[in-house]
Amino acid sequence: MARPRTRDYEELRRELVDAGGRLLAAEGPGALSTRRVAAEAGVSTTAVYNLFGDKAGLVREMFLAGFERLAEAFAAVPRTGDPVADLLALGRAYRASALANPHLYELMFGRPVPQFQPDAETGALIRPTFDTLVAAVARCVDEGAFAPAEPHDVAVRINALAHGLCGLELRGALGDPEEARRHWDGAFEIMMRGLAGR
């Protein structure tokens, strides 16, 4: 199979990544084979090998794709004059990205494929998503919306809260979407109040 044209490459890459994510989420790592992924996407296994090299390359691309989509969600958040509102908007973008890509979420933050461990290069590629959060926290501190604190440490805690809420919501433990949104808003309201130190 010849290497697809750029547009075709991106479309096929997305289809294969999503097919792999759906198989992993529905049936576990044992179902994740190049043959099954190719069949799900309606292409030959040659396409998988040409695009990703092998199964390990496919898993790495699935992992990176989840963070690419999160980065796109963050980039779509407009900057306003209110740093706290902007930080909360990033939280909503995080939640929306997780809900739109539940089949990739566990691979992004868990280890459902035991053989996959992101290397330093892969870690560097996903780092900008967390850096976006750190920068948003730093702005809140710099502009006096939060009490003085180390932005990185605060970002770790906010990320942990968002991750915990996402994990629960994706497992259906926060009720229906409206109830889940209420829990999200309530949890972040309490955290923001505490960070303000007032």
Side-chain angles (χ1 to χ4, degrees):
M1 175 179 167
R3 185 180 179 87
R5 297 187 306 276
T6 302
R7 187 184 63 170
D8 296 335
Y9 169 87
E10 290 302 328
E11 182 179 345
L12 182 55
R13 174 182 179 266
R14 186 177 185 97
E15 288 175 5
L16 289 167
V17 160
D18 285 335
R22 287 191 299 268
L23 279 172
L24 180 61
E27 301 181 37
L32 194 60
S33 69
T34 55
R35 181 186 60 79
R36 287 285 308 275
V37 170
E40 287 288 320
V43 299
S44 70
T45 54
T46 305
V48 180
Y49 293 125
N50 281 347
L51 292 174
F52 308 121
D54 55 16
K55 176 182 168 181
L58 169 64
V59 173
R60 179 178 183 271
E61 285 299 307
M62 290 162 54
F63 176 81
L64 289 174
F67 282 97
E68 286 171 7
R69 295 175 193 184
L70 177 57
E72 290 168 3
F74 280 175
V77 174
R79 183 179 170 119
T80 72
D82 185 337
V84 175
D86 291 354
L87 179 59
L88 289 172
L90 287 178
R92 288 190 291 274
Y94 181 99
R95 178 185 179 220
S97 182
L99 293 177
N101 301 282
H103 56 301
L104 300 177
Y105 189 80
E106 182 60 27
L107 181 60
M108 292 167 67
F109 298 106
R111 291 292 171 264
V113 180
Q115 302 87 348
F116 174 69
Q117 179 68 39
D119 57 19
E121 179 186 358
T122 304
L125 290 172
I126 68 171
R127 181 77 191 188
T129 53
F130 185 70
D131 290 344
T132 297
L133 177 58
V134 174
V137 171
R139 184 175 165 227
C140 289
V141 173
D142 292 344
E143 296 187 19
F146 287 174
E150 171 53 50
H152 178 275
D153 292 349
V154 174
V156 168
R157 294 162 196 160
I158 291 174
N159 189 59
L161 176 61
H163 177 64
L165 289 165
C166 265
L168 290 170
E169 183 170 7
L170 290 175
R171 287 167 176 77
L174 293 185
D176 62 32
E178 179 55 30
E179 184 178 359
R181 185 199 59 73
R182 187 169 55 80
H183 287 306
W184 268 82
D185 290 349
F188 273 92
E189 179 184 346
I190 291 169
M191 176 167 259
M192 295 301 107
R193 204 160 44 222
L195 290 168
R198 303 185 187 105

